[in-house]
Amino acid sequence: MKAKRRVVTASGASVPPARRTPTVRKPKSPFLPARQRGPGAVTPLTSPDPGGRPGTDGLPVDLRVDLGRGLVLPNPILVASGTFGYGTEYAEVVDVNRLGGICCKGTTLKPRIGNPTPRVTETPGGMLNSIGLQNPGVDAVLEKYADTWAGWPVPVIVNVAGESVGDYVEVVKRLDGMPGIAGIELNISCPNVGRGGLQFAIDADAAASVTAAVRRATDLPLLVKLSPNVSDVRPIARAIADAGADALCAINTLSGIAVGPARERPLLGNIYGGLSGPAIKPVALRIVYEVSQVVSIPVVAIGGVTELADVLDFLAVGAVAVQVGTAIFADPTLPVRLVDELAGECRQRGLTSYRPLIGTALPKRAGAPSSKGAEYRP
Ligand SMILES: Cc1cc2nc3c(=O)[nH]c(=O)nc-3n(C[C@H](O)[C@H](O)[C@H](O)COP(=O)(O)O)c2cc1C
């Protein structure tokens, strides 16, 4: 399918290209203090939020979140890539339009059949998966889902993977301007065949060059997903932000293995798998805490969210939104329930917005802002 080129708004609605707002200058995040948003900045997001429903006391809660470049989510609860399919699979059990956003399964240029089985195993407090980016390829994804997504108010963010910078750029070019695509999430935890299989995500230069190349290829909002499998994520996060990402997502899975029942070989067909679920939450919290202090773009947290307390913890260490992943396999209704619970929590605290919950556990900074963006605060 090659649909007529249209521009897609954050709500997934498409408008003719003539109405497209030129994105010459990157809009500054409303989560930055007013002094950083420039002269005459007003606090945006003041009207009642469609995601936060009025409670019995009638107090509306503003849950909207601006991820930059016009991508404004109705609320800060998204579903993580690889755990919610393309959204359509869950549309009969969950009101997907109540979600803050859907990150679809990783999408590559060509179809991929994925890794040999077994591909998943349970672990204490989580799971290991080695699905291997099984997907039908970008053209088939567009053909099958783009029109449905365009009819949904929920923003759909396409998770993109590749084996070379050229792969990523080509996938993104095919997504650019198609109906129903609200943004791109780059999965850079993939081997770069041009650099001996070294993952883009573990090298600041490689992460920056793929981000910059994709940035040049599209005006779509660009989120880049960090890997926890590095000794210090901060230089990588800064390099990605400097290369033009609109937001960062943290974290992808942790590399791990399990041993087979006869102890003759590792259990997974691919040997290595990605660890996810509650077991990784402390690692994700640490990384969000570190990253949100060194970049001035929004950070979306991922890793082990199973209840409202997890959402509140991630907001406290600087995330502006969270993605729910593995927990969806046990309860697909969890993300929508978290939207209501977050609004309820705000009401209970007498808040009309969830924004005061962001960054409360970050160190307080005195003095002039640093040039590294470490002053980032909601
Ligand atoms: C079965 C499975 C498939 C996944 N597939 C992808 C993927 O295609 N692209 C991606 O960026 N992350 C993928 N992930 C990682 C998740 O999006 C998320 O970053 C990770 O699971 C941590 O969140 P959680 O602990 O809430 O699951 C996958 C995770 C699981 C469990």
Side-chain angles (χ1 to χ4, degrees):
M1 179 192 75
K2 195 71 190 169
K4 224 167 105 197
R5 201 175 163 85
R6 292 177 76 80
V7 176
V8 181
T9 66
S11 69
S14 66
V15 295
R19 286 175 50 197
R20 189 172 201 160
T21 314
T23 44
V24 181
R25 203 168 44 84
K26 190 170 145 191
K28 292 212 170 179
S29 166
F31 292 94
L32 293 172
R35 66 185 157 73
Q36 289 178 46
R37 290 199 306 267
V42 289
T43 304
L45 310 183
T46 46
S47 61
D49 152 56
R53 296 183 168 177
T56 43
D57 61 358
L59 182 68
V61 180
D62 191 342
L63 294 181
R64 286 175 300 172
V65 49
D66 187 339
L67 293 185
R69 213 168 280 263
L71 178 57
V72 179
L73 309 180
N75 66 68
I77 310 293
L78 300 91
V79 288
S81 176
T83 63
F84 206 73
Y86 297 91
T88 51
E89 298 88 335
Y90 286 92
E92 286 186 7
V93 265
V94 178
D95 182 358
V96 293
N97 289 315
R98 298 224 37 237
L99 295 167
I102 294 173
C103 297
C104 81
K105 176 69 195 151
T107 302
T108 52
L109 186 55
K110 300 269 180 264
R112 282 177 63 104
I113 56 166
N115 285 331
T117 56
R119 302 206 244 184
V120 288
T121 186
E122 218 173 298
T123 61
M127 67 181 274
L128 268 179
N129 92 81
S130 66
I131 305 297
L133 294 173
Q134 178 179 346
N135 81 101
V138 62
D139 293 335
V141 167
L142 283 170
E143 173 85 42
K144 200 160 171 200
Y145 304 108
D147 287 342
T148 304
W149 292 342
W152 286 351
V154 59
V156 176
I157 296 164
V158 175
N159 183 279
V160 173
E163 292 180 345
S164 66
V165 172
D167 270 7
Y168 283 96
V169 167
E170 187 53 38
V171 174
V172 167
K173 278 185 177 165
R174 292 185 196 195
L175 295 169
D176 188 49
M178 296 299 275
I181 318 294
I184 305 285
E185 181 185 58
L186 285 193
N187 173 6
I188 56 170
S189 301
C190 306
N192 179 357
V193 290
R195 303 242 338 239
L198 189 76
Q199 280 187 17
F200 292 93
I202 65 168
D203 177 70
D205 288 343
S209 50
V210 69
T211 304
V214 167
R215 174 75 293 156
R216 284 191 294 273
T218 183
D219 280 335
L220 281 167
L222 178 59
L223 291 67
V224 180
K225 193 164 174 178
L226 299 172
S227 168
N229 303 317
V230 295
S231 53
D232 186 357
V233 76
R234 287 168 288 194
I236 299 169
R238 276 199 293 259
I240 293 169
D242 290 347
D246 297 303
L248 296 173
C249 302
I251 55 174
N252 213 318
T253 53
L254 281 137
S255 179
I257 68 165
V259 176
R263 302 212 160 78
E264 286 169 345
R265 54 156 283 139
L267 184 148
L268 297 174
N270 183 54
I271 302 174
Y272 297 96
L275 182 66
S276 62
I280 72 168
K281 181 187 158 193
V283 178
L285 276 174
R286 189 259 300 166
I287 288 179
V288 172
Y289 177 87
E290 289 177 349
V291 166
S292 60
Q293 294 179 69
V294 298
V295 298
S296 56
I297 56 176
V299 177
V300 178
I302 327 167
V305 171
T306 63
E307 59 178 2
L308 179 67
D310 301 323
V311 175
L312 299 176
D313 286 351
F314 278 119
L315 295 176
V317 295
V320 301
V322 301
Q323 296 183 13
V324 185
T326 299
I328 290 172
F329 297 128
D331 179 6
T333 66
L334 172 68
V336 167
R337 206 168 60 246
L338 290 175
V339 177
D340 291 334
E341 289 181 6
L342 179 59
E345 176 75 19
C346 292
R347 269 181 220 114
Q348 219 168 32
R349 298 183 188 208
L351 300 173
T352 52
S353 158
Y354 83 103
R355 289 170 64 200
L357 305 177
I358 300 170
T360 54
L362 291 174
K364 309 285 174 268
R365 276 196 164 255
S370 91
S371 60
K372 292 186 180 141
E375 68 284 5
Y376 174 61
R377 293 291 181 278

